[in-house]
Amino acid sequence: MSPEQTAAALDAIPQPLVLIGADMRIAAMNARASELFRVAGIGRHYATVLRNPAVLDAIDAVLKGDRPGTARFYTGDSREGTWRVSAIPVRGEGGMMLSFEDVTDVEQAGQMRRDFVTNVSHELKTPLTALLGFIETLRGPAREDAAARDRFLEIMEKEAARMNRLVSDLLSLSRVETTERLRPTEKLSLREIAGTVVNAVRPMADAADVVLRLETEEGLETSAFDVMGDPDQLQQIVLNLVENAIKYGASGGEVTIRLSVREREAVFRGPGVQLDVIDKGEGFDPIHIPRLTERFYRVDTHRSREQGGTGLGLAIVKHIVSRHRGRFRIESAPGEGSTFTILLPAA
């Protein structure tokens, strides 16, 4: 095979490849490898082109023992890219072939799993520690103190309820992720679901001195708000958003649930049904918006826990909306309240 044919063959392979000859100079290097190392190195000694220590170690392993060498290295100052390099000797030629595999997604998935376990452990450890402490106190110093016993039991009930909410949200998130690829096939009225949720949370709104309003476009039939969906999941996302608005937007004294119909929505190539949950509370810095749907991410950790939040509500909303092939948008600014928008394809 001529050098031109070798170069053409390497360029046809999607992963970066580098061929080092017996003279330790780069004999061939495909375009993706040139992009990775930001240099055209054909004809140059490998050490002047592949200057990453991990890559050089993999090459040394081949040179010392005529056996494959592997290593892992990172690109970028913040390790935004992770690569696995394999150096394989070319029998009879005296050189070697280097292949580079992008394992960034695998690394990120592993990190997400580790972070998830850490977060769950942390969220459960706090109430469990409190419960164990109160149990020990009730068995000892507060055994005969009726007032202290009642106070501790009330706190224990609150902590146990918090753990129960966390476990329920974890199970809910797991179920949503399991069915995320299955598109719902039942026709439902989003307006009826919103009305059911408003009636269910009105006592909570009254207790927080929040006026709850449900607004819909006038002159439209109920069928105009029909979507294909899972009734329990759609009710859950509306409930999560409205409860959040009441908890964290109560200072504004008003929460509005607004339903409208979009006649032509580009992302759906057809009509869509939009639900906005609007509060006039304190709002928050928009810098938080990209991370709000991450598991356990909170704008104000202490306040969220005081309100009984698990840090999973918006993650659940995101996955349910994704399953329904919809869009989820958040807008907020300090002192201007927040708007959470769900856009679903019309049935």
Side-chain angles (χ1 to χ4, degrees), residues 26 67 104 107 119 145 167 176 220 227 280 286 315 318 342:
I26 294 178
R67 57 182 176 80
T104 305
E107 287 288 308
N119 285 325
D145 189 337
V167 172
V176 171
L220 295 177
V227 297
K280 296 182 179 180
K318 181 188 74 171
I342 297 168

Side-chain angles (χ1 to χ4, degrees), residues 99-323:
S99 65
F100 301 85
E101 180 185 1
D102 188 351
V103 293
T104 305
D105 290 343
V106 176
E107 287 288 308
Q108 289 177 346
Q111 186 60 49
M112 287 176 63
R113 286 194 294 271
R114 290 189 290 272
D115 290 344
F116 180 70
V117 171
T118 300
N119 285 325
V120 170
S121 301
H122 176 73
E123 293 290 335
L124 287 173
K125 184 178 180 179
T126 302
L128 280 173
T129 301
L131 286 172
L132 291 172
F134 286 131
I135 290 171
E136 183 178 352
T137 303
L138 288 172
R139 283 179 170 173
R143 181 188 296 271
E144 305 300 332
D145 189 337
R149 183 171 63 245
D150 290 342
R151 186 171 68 255
F152 290 161
L153 286 173
E154 182 179 351
I155 298 173
M156 291 168 68
E157 182 182 20
K158 180 180 177 181
E159 295 295 338
R162 177 180 162 191
M163 284 194 295
N164 186 54
R165 285 193 301 271
L166 177 60
V167 172
S168 295
D169 279 355
L170 286 170
L171 291 174
S172 179
L173 185 58
S174 176
R175 286 192 297 268
V176 171
E177 290 179 328
T178 300
T179 61
E180 193 167 355
R181 295 180 181 273
L182 303 175
R183 190 166 185 171
T185 57
E186 185 177 348
K187 184 184 287 188
L188 304 164
S189 171
L190 194 58
R191 184 162 72 175
E192 291 182 358
I193 290 174
T196 300
V197 170
V198 168
N199 291 332
V201 301
R202 197 172 293 281
M204 176 183 178
D206 292 341
D209 291 326
V210 171
V211 176
L212 205 56
R213 291 191 175 91
L214 176 61
E215 299 178 355
T216 59
E217 278 189 71
E218 296 182 1
L220 295 177
E221 297 181 1
T222 302
S223 60
F225 300 94
D226 285 351
V227 297
M228 305 303 291
D230 181 306
D232 293 334
Q233 289 187 349
L234 288 181
Q235 184 167 324
Q236 183 172 14
I237 62 175
V238 179
L239 181 63
N240 283 5
L241 293 179
V242 175
E243 284 188 342
N244 277 357
I246 294 172
K247 289 177 182 177
Y248 307 114
S251 59
E254 181 180 315
V255 171
T256 301
I257 300 93
R258 182 176 298 151
L259 279 160
S260 57
V261 175
R262 307 285 291 271
E263 293 299 333
R264 179 71 181 175
E265 188 60 39
V267 292
F268 304 144
R269 298 181 181 178
V273 180
Q274 181 170 317
L275 182 140
D276 299 300
V277 178
I278 308 162
D279 70 69
K280 296 182 179 180
E282 299 172 6
F284 50 85
D285 193 320
I287 194 174
H288 296 286
I289 291 177
R291 299 194 60 192
L292 276 179
T293 55
E294 292 180 13
R295 300 171 185 181
F296 300 111
Y297 185 83
R298 297 175 171 95
V299 174
D300 185 337
T301 301
H302 178 73
R303 184 182 177 190
S304 175
R305 287 176 176 155
E306 284 294 313
Q307 295 282 358
T310 63
L312 294 171
L314 293 182
I316 293 171
V317 170
K318 181 188 74 171
H319 284 287
I320 293 177
V321 172
S322 176
R323 184 195 175 196

Side-chain angles (χ1 to χ4, degrees), residues 66-81:
D66 194 33
R67 57 182 176 80
T70 60
R72 183 167 301 204
F73 70 100
Y74 306 94
T75 56
D77 296 335
S78 58
R79 292 189 171 189
E80 66 265 19

